[in-house]
Amino acid sequence: MEIKNQKVLTWLEEMKALCKPDNVVFIDGSEAQLEELRKEAVATGEMIKLNQEKLPGCYYHRTAENDVARVEDRTFICTPTEEEAGPINNWMAPDEMYAKLKALYDGSMKGRTMYVIPFIMGTPNSPFSKVGIELTDSIYVVLNMGIMTRMGQVAMNEIGENGDFTKCLHSKKDVNPEERYIVHFPQDNTIWSINSAYGGNVLLGKKCLALRIASYLGKQEGWFAEHMLILGLENPEGEVHYICAAFPSACGKTNLAMLIPPEYLKKKGYKVWTVGDDIAWLRINPEDGKLYAINPEAGFFGVAPGTSEKTNFNALAATKKGTIFTNVAINNEDMTVWWEGLDKNPPSDATEWKGAKVDGKAYTAEGNKLAHPNSRFTAPAANCPCISKEFENPNGVPVSAIIFGGRRAKCAPLVYQSRDWQHGTFVGATMASETTAAATGAVGVVRRDPMAMKPFVGYNMATYWGHWLEMGKKLGENAPKIFHVNWFRKDDDGNFMWPGFGDNMRVLLWILDRCAGKVDADECAIGYVPKPEDIDITDLDEMSVEDVKALLTIDKAEWLKDIEDPETGIKKYFAQFGDKLPKEMADELAKLEANLS
Ligand code: GTP
Ligand code: SPV
Ligand code: MN
């Protein structure tokens, strides 16, 4: 590959001098080169080849036991001042961090090859797209980036002789958790990641570029980078309406993006098309003033456990070829894969995610997990049976509704609508959710996760809310309607009260009816809730209108507690932003409190 861009060449020389690799290999994106790398990874044991008849082109990878999820406490936003990063991001002065990391990178690739991966987030020649170059010493990263992005010569062409790019440096070094750092320098358009080989820590196009750096760029340039799925809902008349939804990690984005409608809706002619399952970039189209979304990724890095033919047929189908599985279990009988929730039949001759050979049936019967709860598949989006024909539309799809949602056993009702954009921004800003296995740390603890961006915002969260308000003003009448959902409400016995998955379509239909002005709602303290009879429960034999009513109840005491709680309450949360908090957010909080009292 001939590189003419001087900025690329200068940076490469500098990084080579720092990491001191034995070799440098340019990734051109060709199948021949990828095949060579797969062979090499299999030869060294980095990857395991799976059953090529049942799972053609599929491979397995196991990470270090201490390296199975994003590490939020070791993720930094190094803006010139601490205030720019804000109170909920880890911060260190850029000079200090560069010095600290340079000592770690020094010679970290000795005896190894440095792979140079040019990649596009978005499609070629799209006004939405951004280009990055990731340097890495991991073949696993190269192969994953090949699925998740448009990689190789196509990206070099996009950069051209003078173009800019995000400078991404990754070294797995010795995967030492004590010296693991995932660091962003937004002002330098630079990402440095070291001592991890896991997903969101090392596939730097994903959370690091497409959310943290992109959110910062979006603020400068007037657009949004969001942790959102994008789906198209086709009605029997053949019209497709697009919805974006922001849920925290492991809270149902991939599932909602690929949902299969309940039988009675399918028969009527309803369909769901997937545009994206994790990240959306949104811009106001200068021609019609509406908000349009693209998915900057080319693949799905999805949670394996819980994915089955029943819960997510389309995601499972997408994993049947050209997929890399990470930290699931291997069925040694036929070299296929297994995870909790795939079916009720764990393999007897299994290798669990840490690499021990076990009798899977006895092992799971004892309550052990064969697959890590955050085990994942990296699958090409093109494999997905319900991929939208707009998936690669360089101009994106027009967005009718934005949905926020979290995992809340109590408090949040099944669905409600905000009164307007400003209130909707408040609803997003005050989102809370129980933590999941997608990041290291305790699981199941309620924490505030504004817009599902708590771990991903590349600057001060309060300034980011201000950006939402600004964008709302620009959109005016064209602003999508904003909703909040909760699929995870539980009854007093701890059972989910809503069937979820495909049945979430019933809620989407109410949302689109609201957007079209076709259905009434009850205005209450928190916004508009559906009249219980307006959530269609056809064929849900175990559900009554009374049950829907229970799902929609607003427990004022719970809500007031959500505001006042000395640890997790909204007031305490807002207070940390001081005078950076937009006045509109304080106003909305006052209004909510008054409405509840
Ligand atoms: P990230 O890739 O981490 O961003 O996660 P995600 O938001 O795409 O979550 P995903 O769709 O992979 O779902 C995570 C977990 O939630 C899986 O175990 C699912 O089975 C479960 N889940 C998804 N949707 C629902 C639902 O409607 N109801 C219930 N009860 N569980 C769900
Ligand atoms: C998430 O945690 O939200 C993910 C997985 O999508 S990772 O790429 O590891 O961030
Ligand atoms: Mn995610």
Side-chain angles (χ1 to χ4, degrees), residues 284-290:
I284 301 173
N285 182 331
E287 272 162 43
D288 62 9
K290 291 186 181 153

Side-chain angles (χ1 to χ4, degrees), residues 227 248-255 277-278 301 303 305-306 376 407 438 487-488 496 500-501 504:
H227 193 199
S249 301
C251 290
K253 287 183 299 303
T254 301
N255 276 272
D277 83 321
D278 196 52
F301 186 62
V303 179
R376 300 243 169 191
R407 196 181 268 273
W487 315 138
F488 300 94
F496 288 122
F501 301 100
N504 294 333

Side-chain angles (χ1 to χ4, degrees), residues 430-452:
T430 53
M431 256 171 73
S433 194
E434 291 152 22
T435 51
T436 66
T440 53
V443 168
V445 183
V446 174
R447 73 166 184 188
R448 310 235 76 96
D449 189 349
M451 281 86 168

Side-chain angles (χ1 to χ4, degrees), residues 69-70 198-201 203 206-207 227 248-250 253 278 301 374 376 438-439 456:
R70 284 182 293 100
Y198 184 81
N201 297 332
L203 309 178
K206 195 173 177 58
K207 296 300 162 62
H227 193 199
S249 301
K253 287 183 299 303
D278 196 52
F301 186 62
N374 192 37
R376 300 243 169 191
F456 307 120

